[in-house]
């Protein structure tokens, strides 16, 4: 080892540091979850409608969906930005821009100022939604990576649920503050995230990739418990460094063209996961849930209340994947989620079509089941999958393309839903049920399983090169094998795994004794 890191400078080390990082990173997804939901409640309010002169469906759709245009622009740029200024710098920039956009919305003087504010917030959301999954995946160990990403998604839905209930309670305010206060809350959360990002450590993989070896090693050591002599920390650093040097020796460059040529299948899979996350119908509910419930027969504040109840179930549904994603795997969760969502949407349309006295309650039940299915499956996994399958040298660019796909389809769904609700009415929901069926077929035939696979070994899953038998990420960062048994016999020191009773409750909850086996995909499978 040619790198001698100084003594740890972080007060938190090991698992506490990892969880602290995850909590602050989750504020990033909390922000765009809040922003996605906050408009759903205020656009049905009487003071909002009066202030904007009773906007039509196209104007409402534009106010809601224009945020996705800003997010689309910066999610594409975030691939380059994340490689240049780092994951931490991109996180800070995204939070700052989002806060500025929230302030413009809060103090808007009219329709066009609101549009500008939504676009500016979208610019921040695009940076955050791209960089947070990358940052999380690069600090997480393989056997907990899925769980931590799912916890992060829970932060997103917590933001959505919070916005819905803020909308509901503010609806009792008899002035324009009923919609300005919910918008202003974005600024508070954005400022907290911007401040927190300044004290978070940089991604060790990005530091090593930019030749900041000592700093990268220092972060790895801190994440392993703060001991510079930790053999697992040293092995992980060497694995990352070897991967970086191997990419450089290939000498093929790191542009989008090279990425597409070498990793076209991975890019397409990453893009498709985000596209179907939107086509499966979630933003018909997230952006316009009160409108959906009004269409079903719930009126005024009752529609917002039903949305709030739905948001609680939605939030709770994101918890089971913490435990299941690294046990059941990504494929099974996506497949089962597509079935639940498709059936729920089909029944939503059917109840609206027959329009009987039971329809309002039946639609609420169907929407709640749909949201629970999404929160368990197509909500978290498309944010986890792309950064998992992309290699380090193209991770930021690959995730930026997949995230841009999310925001492109997000905009399409957000912009067209109010119009389609008026034109095709109940048929809108079976249409999205059809997309759920398509997503099931796609995952079943094309998506490889990635649970338990170290990031540096992902090439083996796609059959692109011989699997490298590294040991470091196998037990990295949040590893349960941090203590080393130093024998006096002169034999090679071996990691000593803590017994389950010695671990914290989170580790006992998430720990898996077995490591997922996987076989490289053969050329014939391509």
């Amino acid at each position: 080892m040619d790198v001698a890191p100084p003594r740890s400078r972080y007060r938190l080390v090991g698992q506490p540091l990892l969880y602290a990082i995850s909590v602050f990173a989750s504020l990033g997804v909390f922000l765009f979850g809040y922003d996605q939901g906050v408009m759903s409640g205020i656009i049905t309010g009487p003071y909002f409608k009066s202030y904007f002169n009773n906007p039509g469906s196209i104007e409402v759709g534009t106010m809601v969906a224009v945020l996705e245009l800003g997010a689309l622009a910066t999610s594409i740029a975030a691939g380059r930005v994340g490689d240049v200024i780092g994951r931490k710098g991109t996180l800070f920039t995204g939070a700052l821009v989002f806060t500025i956009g929230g302030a413009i919305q809060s103090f808007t003087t009219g329709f066009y100022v609101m549009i500008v504010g939504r676009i500016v917030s979208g610019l921040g959301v695009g940076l955050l939604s791209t960089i947070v999954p990358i940052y999380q995946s690069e600090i997480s160990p393989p056997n907990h990576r899925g769980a931590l990403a799912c916890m992060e998604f829970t932060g997103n839905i917590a933001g959505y649920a919070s916005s819905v209930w803020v909308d509901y309670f503010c609806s009792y305010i008899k002035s324009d503050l009923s919609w300005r206060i919910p918008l202003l809350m974005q600024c508070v959360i954005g400022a907290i995230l911007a401040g927190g990002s300044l004290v978070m450590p940089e991604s060790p993989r990005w530091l090593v990739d930019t030749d900041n070896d000592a700093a990268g090693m220092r972060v790895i050591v801190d994440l392993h418990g703060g001991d510079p002599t930790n053999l697992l920390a040293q092995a992980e650093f060497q694995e990352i460094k070897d991967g970086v040097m191997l990419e450089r020796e290939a000498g093929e460059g790191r542009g989008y063209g090279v990425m597409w040529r070498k990793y076209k299948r991975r890019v397409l899979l990453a893009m498709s996961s985000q596209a179907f996350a939107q086509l499966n119908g979630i933003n018909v509910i997230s952006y316009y849930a009160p409108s959906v419930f009004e269409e079903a027969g719930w009126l005024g504040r009752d529609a917002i209340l039903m949305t709030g109840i739905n948001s609680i179930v939605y939030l709770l549904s994101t918890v089971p994947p913490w435990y299941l994603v690294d046990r059941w795997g990504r494929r099974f969760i996506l497949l089962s989620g597509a079935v639940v969502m498709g059936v729920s949407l089909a029944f939503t349309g059917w109840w609206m079509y027959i329009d009987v006295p039971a329809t309002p309650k039946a639609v609420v039940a169907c929407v709640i089941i749909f949201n629970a299915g999404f929160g368990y499956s197509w909500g978290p996994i498309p944010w986890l999958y792309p950064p998992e399958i992309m290699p380090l040298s193209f991770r930021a660019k690959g995730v930026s393309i997949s995230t841009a796909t999310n925001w492109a389809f997000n905009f399409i769904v957000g912009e067209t839903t109010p119009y389609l609700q008026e034109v095709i009415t109940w048929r809108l929901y079976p249409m999205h049920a059809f997309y759920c069926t398509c997503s099931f077929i796609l995952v079943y035939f094309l998506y490889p399983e990635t649970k338990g696979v170290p990031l540096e070994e992902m090439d083996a899953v796609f059959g692109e090169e011989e699997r490298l038998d590294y040991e470091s990420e196998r037990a990295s960062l949040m590893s349960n094998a941090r203590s080393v048994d130093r024998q006096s016999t002169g034999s090679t020191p071996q990691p000593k795994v803590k017994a389950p009773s010695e671990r914290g409750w989170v580790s006992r909850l998430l720990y898996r004794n077995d490591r997922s086996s996987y076989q490289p995909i053969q050329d014939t499978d391509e």
Side-chain angles (χ1 to χ4, degrees), residues 407-447:
W407 292 116
F409 281 89
N410 209 316
F411 172 76
I412 293 170
V413 173
E415 180 70 27
T416 59
T417 292
Y419 177 74
L420 292 176
Q421 283 177 325
E422 291 183 357
V423 175
I424 65 174
T425 60
W426 62 269
R427 299 172 185 83
L428 174 66
Y429 307 98
M431 180 184 78
H432 286 288
F434 168 75
Y435 291 132
C436 291
T437 303
C438 294
S439 68
F440 180 95
I441 296 171
L442 183 72
V443 171
Y444 186 83
F445 287 104
L446 296 179
Y447 279 45

Side-chain angles (χ1 to χ4, degrees), residues 231 484-495:
L231 296 183
V484 178
D485 183 16
R486 299 177 181 176
Q487 304 291 343
S488 58
T489 59
S491 59
T492 303
Q494 297 296 325

Side-chain angles (χ1 to χ4, degrees), residues 219-235:
V219 176
I220 292 172
V221 166
D222 285 329
L223 289 165
H224 273 279
D227 180 7
T229 64
N230 186 299
L231 296 183
L232 292 172
Q234 295 176 7

Side-chain angles (χ1 to χ4, degrees), residues 216-493:
M217 181 63 187
R218 188 162 57 241
V219 176
I220 292 172
V221 166
D222 285 329
L223 289 165
H224 273 279
D227 180 7
T229 64
N230 186 299
L231 296 183
L232 292 172
Q234 295 176 7
E236 180 175 353
F237 169 83
Q238 196 58 52
E239 175 183 358
I240 296 171
K241 187 66 176 178
D242 288 346
V244 169
M245 297 309 296
L246 188 64
E247 288 286 344
R248 292 180 183 177
E249 289 170 7
E252 293 183 297
R254 303 177 66 166
Y256 284 95
V258 176
M259 178 183 69
W260 180 257
R261 186 172 67 253
K262 290 186 66 177
Y263 302 108
K264 177 168 65 176
R265 182 186 176 194
R266 301 197 205 189
V267 173
L268 289 174
L269 289 178
M271 293 172 66
S272 68
S273 69
Q274 290 284 22
F276 277 103
Q278 301 307 313
L279 290 174
N280 284 354
I282 184 56
N283 280 335
V284 174
I285 307 302
S286 295
Y287 286 164
Y288 302 107
S291 300
V292 173
F293 292 134
E294 284 187 345
E295 185 181 2
W298 299 92
L299 300 177
R301 190 176 291 120
D302 287 342
I304 304 178
L305 178 60
M306 292 300 104
T307 304
I309 295 172
N310 171 62
S311 71
I312 293 175
V313 178
Y314 189 11
L315 177 62
L316 294 175
S317 73
T318 67
V319 176
W322 297 9
Y323 183 82
L324 299 176
V325 70
D326 289 316
R327 287 166 169 75
W328 291 1
R330 287 55 162 155
R331 279 173 50 87
F332 180 82
I333 290 177
L334 288 174
L335 291 171
S336 56
V339 172
V340 172
M341 293 159 59
V343 172
S344 300
L345 286 171
F347 274 104
T348 299
W350 183 76
W351 280 106
M352 288 187 174
Y353 169 69
I354 62 175
D355 193 17
V356 295
T359 290
K361 291 182 179 179
V363 167
V364 169
C366 289
V367 167
I368 286 176
I369 294 172
F370 168 81
N371 263 142
F374 181 86
Y376 145 83
S377 60
W378 283 88
I381 305 301
W383 293 106
L384 163 66
Y385 204 70
E388 277 192 324
I389 64 177
M390 295 304 301
L392 174 62
S393 56
F394 295 102
R395 186 167 296 135
K397 292 183 176 66
V399 174
S400 75
I401 293 296
S402 69
T403 306
T405 304
N406 174 284
W407 292 116
F409 281 89
N410 209 316
F411 172 76
I412 293 170
V413 173
E415 180 70 27
T416 59
T417 292
Y419 177 74
L420 292 176
Q421 283 177 325
E422 291 183 357
V423 175
I424 65 174
T425 60
W426 62 269
R427 299 172 185 83
L428 174 66
Y429 307 98
M431 180 184 78
H432 286 288
F434 168 75
Y435 291 132
C436 291
T437 303
C438 294
S439 68
F440 180 95
I441 296 171
L442 183 72
V443 171
Y444 186 83
F445 287 104
L446 296 179
Y447 279 45
E449 184 55 70
T450 59
K451 70 170 182 177
V453 182
L455 297 181
E456 277 70 37
E457 296 184 23
M458 203 60 68
D459 288 352
V461 174
F462 290 87
E464 290 165 355
E465 66 176 40
E466 193 69 21
R467 173 178 163 181
L468 300 176
D469 190 20
Y470 290 126
E471 292 295 328
S472 63
E473 194 180 358
R474 185 171 303 179
S476 66
L477 303 187
M478 208 173 78
S479 172
N480 297 299
R482 289 177 297 170
S483 58
V484 178
D485 183 16
R486 299 177 181 176
Q487 304 291 343
S488 58
T489 59
S491 59
T492 303

Side-chain angles (χ1 to χ4, degrees), residues 9-10 12 16-28 86-92 95 128 131-136 139 152 192-204 206-207 215 219 222-223:
R9 62 187 176 88
Y10 297 108
L12 292 177
L17 176 60
L18 178 60
Y19 292 136
I21 292 171
S22 298
V23 168
F24 267 107
S26 294
L27 279 179
R87 303 353 183 185
K88 177 179 173 178
T90 308
L91 195 62
F92 172 78
L128 293 172
I131 212 64
V132 169
I134 295 173
Y135 183 75
Q136 184 72 71
I139 66 163
E152 175 189 299
I192 294 173
L193 176 61
S197 66
L198 296 177
V199 298
M200 293 166 62
E202 181 56 88
S203 162
W206 180 81
L207 289 169
V219 176
D222 285 329
L223 289 165

Side-chain angles (χ1 to χ4, degrees), residues 162-174:
S162 298
S163 71
V164 172
W165 284 104
V166 168
D167 284 347
Y168 176 73
F169 289 118
C170 287
S171 69
Y172 286 93
I173 301 175
K174 305 300 183 181

